[in-house]
């Protein structure tokens, strides 16, 4: 665990009021800007903040302060903590309140049906369950399978929409998107590029052939006359 200074601004207030350290030394030790330390000394910043003695908290010794006061270029060092705080363990499964644990199988069934790309470990992180329970529900071997109803875990309050979207994106990364089945509309990007076929130019100078027209009329009249003769 990294050794960090507690309440740096309050410590800087105490060092300004009780030591002869330079602004640069205090700024370096407290992680502040030298101008901010100068503002504290001028009373323009940190007003109302009570100074905290780093000697009492065990983060600085009097000998270390004395070295810094004698040498302007000396950089103060944090004292080794007397008590070591153990590092936090790896985050376990999500805690589920007792009032919502009965809905957890329904949420697992919803995730299995609606997001088959999710791995068992991801489902376990989302709703706080075990892989064996997920496998039983997936294979319909759960003791209450006949009564389970798929329910959205976000609606049930077992997880957040942000966490669900994050896990789905992780599971879908690198997977090919399914191709749509059946006839579908063309994308707009393709239809916008289509250019209508040019119309054939009309020949305005083209004139009807009068002889051809009269020839067709004569043929129709002769045909009608022949039909009348046959009927007689």
């Amino acid at each position: 665990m990294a050794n960090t200074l507690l309440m740096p601004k309050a410590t800087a207030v105490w060092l300004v009021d009780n030591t002869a350290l330079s602004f640069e030394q205090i700024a370096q030790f407290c992680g502040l800007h030298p101008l901010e330390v100068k503002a504290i000394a001028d009373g323009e910043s940190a007003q109302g903040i009570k100074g905290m003695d780093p000697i009492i908290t065990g983060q600085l010794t009097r000998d270390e302060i004395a070295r810094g006061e004698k040498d302007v270029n000396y950089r103060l060092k944090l004292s080794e903590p007397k008590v070591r705080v153990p590092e936090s363990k790896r985050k376990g499964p999500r805690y589920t309140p007792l009032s919502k644990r009965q809905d957890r199988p329904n949420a697992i069934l919803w995730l299995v049906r609606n997001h088959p790309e999710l791995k068992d470990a991801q489902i376990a992180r989302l709703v706080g369950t075990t892989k064996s329970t997920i496998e039983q529900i997936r294979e319909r071997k759960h003791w209450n399978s006949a009564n389970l109803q798929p329910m959205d875990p976000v609606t049930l309050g077992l997880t957040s929409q942000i966490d669900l979207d994050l896990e789905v994106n992780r599971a879908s990364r690198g997977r090919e998107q399914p191709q749509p089945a059946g006839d579908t509309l063309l994308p707009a990007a393709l239809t916008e590029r289509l250019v209508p076929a040019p119309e054939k130019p009309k020949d305005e100078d083209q004139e009807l052939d009068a002889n051809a027209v009269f020839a067709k009329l004569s043929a129709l009249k002769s045909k009608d006359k022949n039909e009348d003769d046959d009927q007689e």
Side-chain angles (χ1 to χ4, degrees), residues 137-209:
I137 295 175
R138 193 188 298 273
E139 297 179 0
R140 306 295 294 176
K141 295 180 180 179
H142 191 265
W143 66 272
N144 197 28
S145 294
N147 299 321
L148 293 182
Q149 297 293 332
M151 300 180 69
D152 188 348
V154 176
T155 304
L156 294 173
L158 296 175
T159 186
S160 66
Q161 188 65 50
I162 295 176
D163 291 339
L164 176 59
D165 293 342
L166 180 62
E167 295 294 348
V168 170
N169 290 335
R170 287 177 179 174
S172 302
R173 194 175 301 163
R175 295 168 63 98
E176 294 183 359
Q177 298 296 329
Q179 296 296 329
D183 296 334
T184 58
L185 296 175
L186 291 175
L190 296 179
T191 56
E192 290 176 355
R193 297 177 183 175
L194 296 179
V195 179
E199 297 181 359
K200 293 182 178 180
K202 296 182 179 180
D203 188 1
E204 298 179 354
D205 297 333
Q206 184 177 3
E207 296 180 355
L208 295 176
D209 189 353

Side-chain angles (χ1 to χ4, degrees), residues 50 104 200 226:
K50 184 178 179 180
R104 191 158 47 189
K200 293 182 178 180
N226 292 334

Side-chain angles (χ1 to χ4, degrees), residues 103-112 127 151-153 156 158:
D103 295 328
R104 191 158 47 189
N106 295 328
I108 297 173
L109 181 60
W110 188 92
L111 290 172
V112 168
V127 298
M151 300 180 69
D152 188 348
L156 294 173
L158 296 175

Side-chain angles (χ1 to χ4, degrees), residues 26 28 100 103 181 225 229:
I26 297 175
Q28 181 271 330
K100 297 182 179 179
D103 295 328
K225 185 178 180 181
D229 294 341

Side-chain angles (χ1 to χ4, degrees), residues 31 48 60-61 71 79 86 90 92 119 180 216 224:
L60 197 60
T61 63
D71 185 3
S79 301
R90 184 178 179 271
K119 298 179 181 179
K216 289 182 180 180
D224 293 338

Side-chain angles (χ1 to χ4, degrees), residues 46-62:
Q47 295 179 358
I49 296 179
K50 184 178 179 180
M52 187 181 72
D53 188 352
I55 299 175
I56 295 178
T57 59
Q59 294 195 297
L60 197 60
T61 63
R62 294 188 184 277

Side-chain angles (χ1 to χ4, degrees), residues 42-149:
D42 295 338
E44 299 174 357
S45 177
Q47 295 179 358
I49 296 179
K50 184 178 179 180
M52 187 181 72
D53 188 352
I55 299 175
I56 295 178
T57 59
Q59 294 195 297
L60 197 60
T61 63
R62 294 188 184 277
D63 293 338
E64 190 73 8
I65 293 176
R67 292 192 190 97
E69 291 175 335
K70 292 178 181 179
D71 185 3
V72 179
N73 297 322
Y74 183 77
R75 295 292 177 260
L76 300 177
K77 298 178 182 178
L78 277 172
S79 301
E80 289 293 330
K82 297 179 180 180
V83 178
R84 286 287 182 181
V85 180
E87 295 185 6
S88 59
K89 296 181 179 179
R90 184 178 179 271
K91 186 178 180 181
R94 181 188 299 273
Y95 173 76
T96 305
L98 293 174
S99 60
K100 297 182 179 179
R101 290 184 183 180
Q102 59 183 359
D103 295 328
R104 191 158 47 189
N106 295 328
I108 297 173
L109 181 60
W110 188 92
L111 290 172
V112 168
R113 288 188 178 181
N114 292 276
H115 295 287
E117 70 275 10
L118 289 175
K119 298 179 181 179
D120 291 352
Q122 294 178 299
I123 298 176
R125 284 197 298 268
L126 288 171
V127 298
T129 185
T130 61
K131 292 185 178 181
S132 60
T133 303
I134 299 172
E135 184 177 357
Q136 292 173 3
I137 295 175
R138 193 188 298 273
E139 297 179 0
R140 306 295 294 176
K141 295 180 180 179
H142 191 265
W143 66 272
N144 197 28
S145 294
N147 299 321
L148 293 182
Q149 297 293 332

